Amino acid sequence: PPAAASGDTPAAKGAPAIPQIPFDFGTVAQAGTIPPFPYVDYPPKVQSGGRWTREVPMDRVYVILGDHLHALEGRVMTRKFSHRDADMSELEVRRNYENAMGAIGAVKVNTVQPEHPAIVAAVGGNDYYLRNAMLMIPDLRMSYDVYLARKGDARHWIVVTTNDSETGLLTVEEKPFAQTVGFEGSRDTPVAAGG
Protein backbone atom coordinates (compact mmCIF):
# COMPACT_ATOMS: atom_id res chain seq x y z
CA PRO A 1 0.00 0.00 0.00
CA PRO A 2 1.07 3.60 -0.44
CA ALA A 3 3.29 4.98 2.29
CA ALA A 4 1.86 7.68 4.49
CA ALA A 5 3.12 11.16 3.70
CA SER A 6 4.62 12.84 6.73
CA GLY A 7 2.83 16.17 6.25
CA ASP A 8 -0.70 15.06 7.09
CA THR A 9 -0.24 12.15 9.47
CA PRO A 10 -1.34 12.51 13.08
CA ALA A 11 2.30 13.32 13.94
CA ALA A 12 1.89 16.58 12.02
CA LYS A 13 -0.96 17.48 14.38
CA GLY A 14 1.03 16.73 17.54
CA ALA A 15 0.19 13.02 17.93
CA PRO A 16 2.82 10.30 17.68
CA ALA A 17 3.55 8.83 14.25
CA ILE A 18 1.62 5.66 13.43
CA PRO A 19 4.04 2.77 12.84
CA GLN A 20 3.72 0.78 9.64
CA ILE A 21 2.69 -2.71 10.80
CA PRO A 22 3.13 -5.46 8.19
CA PHE A 23 -0.01 -7.38 7.26
CA ASP A 24 -0.03 -10.52 5.15
CA PHE A 25 -2.64 -9.69 2.53
CA GLY A 26 -2.22 -13.22 1.19
CA THR A 27 -4.29 -14.39 4.17
CA VAL A 28 -7.32 -12.73 2.53
CA ALA A 29 -8.60 -15.00 -0.24
CA GLN A 30 -9.11 -13.65 -3.75
CA ALA A 31 -12.66 -12.41 -4.32
CA GLY A 32 -14.91 -13.38 -7.21
CA THR A 33 -16.45 -10.62 -9.32
CA ILE A 34 -16.10 -7.21 -7.69
CA PRO A 35 -19.09 -4.94 -8.39
CA PRO A 36 -18.36 -1.40 -9.62
CA PHE A 37 -17.31 1.21 -7.06
CA PRO A 38 -18.76 1.83 -4.43
CA TYR A 39 -19.41 -1.95 -4.37
CA VAL A 40 -22.64 -1.93 -2.30
CA ASP A 41 -25.77 0.19 -2.60
CA TYR A 42 -28.18 2.00 -0.33
CA PRO A 43 -31.20 -0.04 0.76
CA PRO A 44 -33.92 0.19 -1.93
CA LYS A 45 -36.38 2.23 0.18
CA VAL A 46 -33.89 5.03 0.84
CA GLN A 47 -34.86 7.69 -1.68
CA SER A 48 -32.50 10.41 -2.93
CA GLY A 49 -33.62 12.86 -0.22
CA GLY A 50 -32.49 10.43 2.50
CA ARG A 51 -29.07 9.75 1.00
CA TRP A 52 -25.99 11.61 2.14
CA THR A 53 -23.07 10.94 -0.22
CA ARG A 54 -19.61 12.48 -0.57
CA GLU A 55 -17.00 11.23 -3.05
CA VAL A 56 -13.37 12.31 -3.43
CA PRO A 57 -11.25 11.00 -6.35
CA MET A 58 -8.07 10.86 -4.22
CA ASP A 59 -7.78 11.08 -0.45
CA ARG A 60 -6.28 9.35 2.57
CA VAL A 61 -8.33 7.66 5.28
CA TYR A 62 -7.45 5.17 7.98
CA VAL A 63 -8.99 1.83 8.86
CA ILE A 64 -8.35 -0.68 11.60
CA LEU A 65 -6.56 -3.64 10.03
CA GLY A 66 -6.21 -6.46 12.54
CA ASP A 67 -5.49 -4.54 15.75
CA HIS A 68 -3.59 -1.58 14.23
CA LEU A 69 -4.35 1.58 12.29
CA HIS A 70 -3.67 1.34 8.57
CA ALA A 71 -3.51 4.23 6.06
CA LEU A 72 -5.31 3.93 2.72
CA GLU A 73 -5.04 6.22 -0.29
CA GLY A 74 -7.33 6.22 -3.28
CA ARG A 75 -10.88 6.94 -4.37
CA VAL A 76 -13.04 7.48 -1.28
CA MET A 77 -16.80 7.64 -0.84
CA THR A 78 -18.66 8.24 2.41
CA ARG A 79 -22.40 7.61 2.66
CA LYS A 80 -24.96 7.74 5.44
CA PHE A 81 -28.66 6.94 5.79
CA SER A 82 -31.20 6.60 8.58
CA HIS A 83 -32.81 3.27 9.35
CA ARG A 84 -36.18 5.01 9.42
CA ASP A 85 -35.73 6.07 5.78
CA ALA A 86 -34.74 2.49 4.93
CA ASP A 87 -37.73 1.09 6.88
CA MET A 88 -35.28 -1.39 8.46
CA SER A 89 -33.99 -2.20 11.95
CA GLU A 90 -30.31 -2.01 12.80
CA LEU A 91 -30.14 -5.81 12.83
CA GLU A 92 -31.72 -6.05 9.37
CA VAL A 93 -29.30 -3.46 7.98
CA ARG A 94 -26.27 -5.22 9.48
CA ARG A 95 -27.34 -8.65 8.23
CA ASN A 96 -27.97 -7.31 4.74
CA TYR A 97 -24.51 -5.76 4.51
CA GLU A 98 -22.83 -8.83 6.06
CA ASN A 99 -24.50 -10.99 3.39
CA ALA A 100 -23.49 -8.52 0.65
CA MET A 101 -19.87 -8.66 1.83
CA GLY A 102 -19.91 -12.45 1.73
CA ALA A 103 -21.42 -12.45 -1.76
CA ILE A 104 -18.55 -10.40 -3.20
CA GLY A 105 -15.87 -12.25 -1.23
CA ALA A 106 -15.06 -9.42 1.17
CA VAL A 107 -13.59 -10.54 4.50
CA LYS A 108 -13.79 -8.75 7.86
CA VAL A 109 -10.23 -7.71 8.74
CA ASN A 110 -10.49 -5.69 11.96
CA THR A 111 -10.13 -7.57 15.24
CA VAL A 112 -10.68 -4.61 17.60
CA GLN A 113 -13.00 -1.61 17.79
CA PRO A 114 -11.91 2.08 17.70
CA GLU A 115 -12.06 2.42 21.50
CA HIS A 116 -9.33 -0.23 21.96
CA PRO A 117 -6.58 1.35 24.11
CA ALA A 118 -3.79 0.62 21.60
CA ILE A 119 -5.74 2.26 18.77
CA VAL A 120 -6.47 5.37 20.85
CA ALA A 121 -2.85 5.48 22.06
CA ALA A 122 -1.60 5.38 18.45
CA VAL A 123 -3.03 8.88 17.95
CA GLY A 124 -1.84 10.28 21.26
CA GLY A 125 -5.09 9.58 23.10
CA ASN A 126 -7.23 11.88 20.94
CA ASP A 127 -10.20 9.57 20.34
CA TYR A 128 -12.35 12.39 18.90
CA TYR A 129 -9.77 13.06 16.15
CA LEU A 130 -9.38 9.30 15.60
CA ARG A 131 -13.10 8.71 15.05
CA ASN A 132 -13.99 11.84 13.10
CA ALA A 133 -10.93 12.77 11.03
CA MET A 134 -9.19 9.43 10.58
CA LEU A 135 -11.76 6.62 10.70
CA MET A 136 -14.69 8.74 9.38
CA ILE A 137 -17.16 7.33 11.93
CA PRO A 138 -20.31 9.51 11.92
CA ASP A 139 -21.32 8.93 15.56
CA LEU A 140 -19.63 7.86 18.81
CA ARG A 141 -22.01 4.95 19.52
CA MET A 142 -21.49 3.13 16.22
CA SER A 143 -20.16 -0.38 15.73
CA TYR A 144 -17.28 -0.60 13.28
CA ASP A 145 -16.54 -3.38 10.77
CA VAL A 146 -13.82 -3.25 8.08
CA TYR A 147 -14.13 -5.54 5.05
CA LEU A 148 -11.50 -6.16 2.39
CA ALA A 149 -12.02 -7.72 -1.05
CA ARG A 150 -8.88 -8.58 -3.05
CA LYS A 151 -8.82 -9.13 -6.81
CA GLY A 152 -5.32 -9.66 -8.15
CA ASP A 153 -3.21 -6.83 -6.72
CA ALA A 154 -6.25 -4.55 -6.30
CA ARG A 155 -7.70 -3.94 -2.84
CA HIS A 156 -11.28 -2.81 -2.28
CA TRP A 157 -12.30 -1.68 1.21
CA ILE A 158 -15.78 -1.30 2.71
CA VAL A 159 -16.33 -0.04 6.25
CA VAL A 160 -19.81 -0.46 7.75
CA THR A 161 -20.71 1.54 10.87
CA THR A 162 -24.12 1.20 12.53
CA ASN A 163 -26.03 2.26 15.60
CA ASP A 164 -29.72 2.04 16.49
CA SER A 165 -30.74 4.83 14.10
CA GLU A 166 -28.28 5.16 11.20
CA THR A 167 -25.64 3.45 9.07
CA GLY A 168 -22.45 4.87 7.62
CA LEU A 169 -20.59 3.35 4.66
CA LEU A 170 -16.99 4.18 3.80
CA THR A 171 -15.68 2.66 0.59
CA VAL A 172 -12.11 2.97 -0.69
CA GLU A 173 -10.73 1.87 -4.04
CA GLU A 174 -7.07 1.74 -3.11
CA LYS A 175 -4.90 3.15 -5.90
CA PRO A 176 -1.69 5.14 -6.33
CA PHE A 177 -1.64 8.90 -6.60
CA ALA A 178 -1.83 10.26 -10.18
CA GLN A 179 -0.43 13.74 -10.87
CA THR A 180 -2.96 16.01 -12.59
CA VAL A 181 -1.54 19.52 -12.07
CA GLY A 182 0.97 20.71 -14.67
CA PHE A 183 3.38 23.61 -14.98
CA GLU A 184 1.94 27.07 -15.54
CA GLY A 185 1.26 27.58 -19.26
CA SER A 186 1.71 23.94 -20.19
CA ARG A 187 -1.50 21.97 -19.70
CA ASP A 188 -0.11 18.94 -21.54
CA THR A 189 2.95 18.49 -19.28
CA PRO A 190 2.01 17.41 -15.75
CA VAL A 191 4.55 17.52 -12.97
CA ALA A 192 6.03 14.06 -12.38
CA ALA A 193 4.28 12.23 -9.55
CA GLY A 194 6.51 12.09 -6.52
CA GLY A 195 4.55 10.63 -3.65
Side-chain angles (χ1 to χ4, degrees):
S6 60
D8 56 355
T9 62
K13 301 186 184 328
I18 296 172
Q20 294 294 321
I21 306 295
F23 181 84
D24 183 2
F25 287 97
T27 62
V28 177
Q30 291 282 328
T33 302
I34 304 289
F37 185 85
Y39 318 124
V40 293
D41 202 357
Y42 283 97
K45 289 187 179 179
V46 179
Q47 302 302 314
S48 60
R51 299 177 179 203
W52 183 91
T53 303
R54 180 175 181 263
E55 182 176 358
V56 181
M58 171 56 69
D59 205 354
R60 174 181 293 137
V61 296
Y62 291 80
V63 297
I64 298 175
L65 178 60
D67 61 356
H68 293 83
L69 285 174
H70 180 72
L72 300 176
E73 289 185 355
R75 184 178 179 189
V76 176
M77 181 181 285
T78 52
R79 294 171 290 166
K80 185 170 56 172
F81 65 90
S82 82
H83 299 164
R84 182 175 54 214
D85 289 341
D87 195 22
M88 299 168 79
S89 69
E90 178 185 4
L91 177 63
E92 189 177 3
V93 169
R94 287 179 60 84
R95 293 260 172 92
N96 269 275
Y97 282 111
E98 287 168 2
N99 290 339
M101 298 304 132
I104 65 174
V107 177
K108 184 177 172 185
V109 292
N110 66 305
T111 59
V112 299
Q113 291 293 303
E115 61 273 6
H116 189 276
I119 300 295
V120 176
V123 294
N126 190 341
D127 60 338
Y128 180 82
Y129 177 74
L130 169 72
R131 286 179 171 274
N132 288 275
M134 296 176 69
L135 298 177
M136 313 289 280
I137 301 173
D139 183 74
L140 179 66
R141 302 163 293 139
M142 299 187 112
S143 64
Y144 178 85
D145 296 312
V146 181
Y147 294 90
L148 169 62
R150 286 194 324 123
K151 187 71 173 179
D153 291 334
R155 298 180 195 150
H156 310 275
W157 302 81
I158 305 158
V159 180
V160 181
T161 56
T162 60
N163 63 17
D164 60 352
S165 62
E166 69 180 19
T167 290
L169 300 169
L170 167 66
T171 51
V172 182
E173 179 183 21
E174 195 173 1
K175 61 181 182 179
F177 172 74
Q179 181 70 34
T180 55
V181 176
F183 294 104
E184 180 66 30
S186 177
R187 294 185 184 190
D188 297 330
T189 310
V191 177

